[in-house]
Every structure is written in C-alpha cells, then in structure tokens.
Amino acid sequence: MKISDIIFRYPTLSVIRNDGICRVRVFINENRQVVALLTDIGNKNTAASVTNSIEIIHTSLITRGIISEEAIIIEHYENRGCFGESFDVVSFNSNGTPQWTRMNQHDLLSLLECEQSELSQLTVRNPRLLAEIDRVRYEINPNADFPYREDPEVVKRRMEIELNSISKVNIQKLIQKGVKEQELLKLLKRDLSVFGEVYANPKDEYICFSEFPISDGFVDFAVFTGRSRMDIYLIEIKGANFNLVNQSSYESFSSKVEEAAGQLRRRLGDINWDYKSFREEAHRIRGIAESGESIFNSLVGPEGALQVDPNKHVNIFTVLIGGRTVDDIKESRKRYDYENSFKPSIKVESWDTWLRKLRRD
C-alpha cells in the first residue's frame, strides 16, 4: 500500500550548490516492510542525480522522519527512451557506503504490492507532482528556467555585427547576375562575418581577415577560430560568371578553379616550408586583432578573444569558392574526388553550395 507520494527536496554537496529534488514514494506491505521508492526526475532536478546523492537523500529522509533506518531503499529511473527503466535496491554497509543490486519490475511490484500502473505513468505526466516540481524548483532558484544570460559586451558586439551585416539576399542577387570576382570581393569585404558564420566553431568565436598575407602573397579571406588549438581557414574566391564544371564532353573543372587551387597550393607550400614562423605570426596577428586594433580589415566575433593556446599546433583548412552549379549530384562526386586529389585536401564550393551554409536571411 502506498502511504505517501511527494517531491522531496534534499541538500547537496555538489559544486552546483543548489538543493536537489526527487520523487519519493513510501509503501508498506503486508509483512510490515517499509519501502521507499526514490525516482530521479531527470532534467527537472536542480542538482546532482539520485545516484550521486543517494547517501544524502537517505540520511535526510531518516532525519525528517519520513522513513526509519530499517526501510528498504529502491533507486528508480523512469523510462528514458533507449536507456529504459531501471530499479536498484540500495543497501548501506557499516561505513555508510552504498551498494546497488538490480531488481526487475515483477519482483518490485510484488514487494510494493501495487499495480503496474503505479510505475508506468511518468512523473512529469502527473499534474499534481509537476506543479509541485515547478514550485520547489522556483523556490530553490528563481532563475533556474531562464536562458543563460550573456555578458553585455558580447550582446553589444553581436548587435554591432548584425547592424552592419549584409543580407543573404544581396549576395544571392550578385551571384545570380553572374558578377566577376572583384564585385564579390567588394561586397564581402564589407561584412566578414559571413565567413565567421560559416566556419566558426564554437559559434561566435572567430576573427576574420581579408587579403591575409602569407609569405610574399596573400589569400582573399582568412578565419581564425577553435578552442585550445586554433583552426585557420584560408579562403580563395572566384567570380560567379562561369560554371564550376565545364559543360563539354570532358566535364573538367573550370580553368578559374584550377587557377585558385594553384594559388592555395602555393600558399600551403609557403606555410609548410616554414611552419613555425607562420604559426607564430598568426598568433601575433590574432593578438593585435583581439586588442582592438584593426589589422588586415579584421573583424572579431561577438565572444572576443579566442580561447586558444599559442604554443600548440594550428589546424589549417583551405577553401575555394567560385562558379555556379549546374548538376549538383554529378558535381558533388567530382568535387569530392578533386578535393581528395590534394594532400592536404582543398575544399571546393560553388557559390550555390556555399550559400546553403549561410544561416542568415
């Protein structure tokens, strides 16, 4: 027989510092055995799980007179999709250390002397319990259900970038007109955040440059991003006034694509010839941009300084964007083979495929 069914608030020793909550049902059977079923409520809990708090929950239940020391403790996780439902008898040795022993549902129902429906309904589907969960959560932390509040400087910086951003529609219009490289360069240099939007990982952590120098040359655009190890994307663009793949019987890549690929290979050769100097120079340029000084038309993303280690290797990626797509399926296979014919590989995009990666309107 069930004698109580409550949302129980328990203290926690975790770094979160909030009290935790779980569901506690107390049963007494014909043998006068008291059984406490402790149900973890998943992401509705405000602190550590039932498993990680079992000693505290057990002690708190005894201290508050809800159960006696002789009560049988069952740890319960409701059906969590692929994880399924689980029941464990929790016992405590002389030192108070818990031990878990798996129990099947049939044996548990016999112990509790209750119907299967008692266990089948999820806690969050019970209006009374859900209302109590919401009340206790708010009591513990009124901010618990509010989204993460960003630093005001990050919000301000994001608003400034968005205010000066160019729309995806404007880029599409130029591409559909089949403009030459110089017109696209002129537009994209006005808003380097388009490249941060596509290549930044983590999102909003990037520094973009135009006409980024490498040895005695440069690439059209560069993106610095990443955590710990810095990721560097070197980007060459060509116009939208030609097809990526020639529509002749040979179906070869346009000579303009070959030209851009050659430029990227030369830049990669320069980097690998003196990699250490390139890495040190890249981090020096990063530091200047992060300090607020403009260098190579730098644009620093909303999060500001990158969380990267100047003493670690950098990961270098090369991207070639140019031309228009005619047959997407056929060209995707050709791009894949072409990209992997180089070591390291060069990512090839038409303006059509690149625009798909742009999230803005």
Side-chain angles (χ1 to χ4, degrees), residues 117-231:
S117 58
E118 177 65 42
L119 303 177
S120 62
Q121 185 188 48
L122 297 177
T123 300
V124 294
R125 299 288 176 84
N126 184 308
R128 177 185 69 83
L129 294 173
L130 184 58
E132 181 66 4
I133 288 170
D134 288 342
R135 185 192 69 78
V136 178
R137 278 172 59 86
Y138 188 81
E139 187 178 273
I140 292 171
N141 182 5
N143 298 325
D145 293 324
F146 282 85
Y148 168 72
R149 298 177 67 84
E150 291 185 302
D151 186 293
E153 284 300 315
V154 174
V155 176
K156 178 184 175 184
R157 182 65 182 151
R158 182 179 293 108
M159 291 174 64
E160 289 172 346
I161 292 172
E162 290 176 355
L163 186 64
N164 295 300
S165 66
I166 55 178
S167 71
K168 185 174 182 178
V169 171
N170 284 342
I171 302 173
Q172 284 175 321
K173 285 180 178 178
L174 282 187
I175 292 169
Q176 289 167 358
K177 285 173 60 178
V179 299
K180 295 182 179 180
E181 175 183 340
Q182 292 306 315
E183 289 187 66
L184 283 166
L185 281 169
K186 183 179 178 181
L187 178 68
L188 296 174
K189 284 179 181 178
R190 283 172 37 199
D191 177 23
L192 300 185
S193 72
V194 293
F195 296 107
E197 184 176 308
V198 172
Y199 299 110
N201 185 25
K203 177 185 175 184
D204 290 343
E205 296 183 26
Y206 60 82
I207 307 173
C208 299
F209 306 90
S210 62
E211 296 185 7
F212 186 78
I214 300 173
S215 187
D216 60 350
F218 63 89
V219 291
D220 292 327
F221 301 98
V223 179
F224 290 7
T225 185
R227 287 271 182 91
S228 187
R229 286 190 177 188
M230 186 161 68
D231 296 334

Side-chain angles (χ1 to χ4, degrees), residues 25-40:
R25 280 169 277 188
V26 179
F27 299 79
I28 186 167
N29 59 28
E30 289 183 351
N31 296 325
R32 309 301 295 172
Q33 292 175 303
V34 175
V35 184
L37 182 66
L38 315 182
T39 302
D40 189 285

Side-chain angles (χ1 to χ4, degrees), residues 63-110:
T63 301
R64 292 171 57 179
I66 296 173
I67 62 171
S68 65
E69 293 186 8
E70 292 75 28
I72 299 170
I73 305 298
I74 308 293
E75 181 181 285
H76 174 216
Y77 283 85
E78 294 176 321
N79 195 318
R80 297 159 289 167
C82 61
F83 294 102
E85 190 173 34
S86 67
F87 307 95
D88 290 271
V89 179
V90 185
S91 57
F92 299 86
N93 63 21
S94 58
N95 297 321
T97 302
Q99 294 178 314
W100 288 263
T101 305
R102 185 54 53 95
M103 189 179 207
N104 63 51
Q105 188 184 89
H106 179 269
D107 290 343
L108 178 64
L109 290 172
S110 297

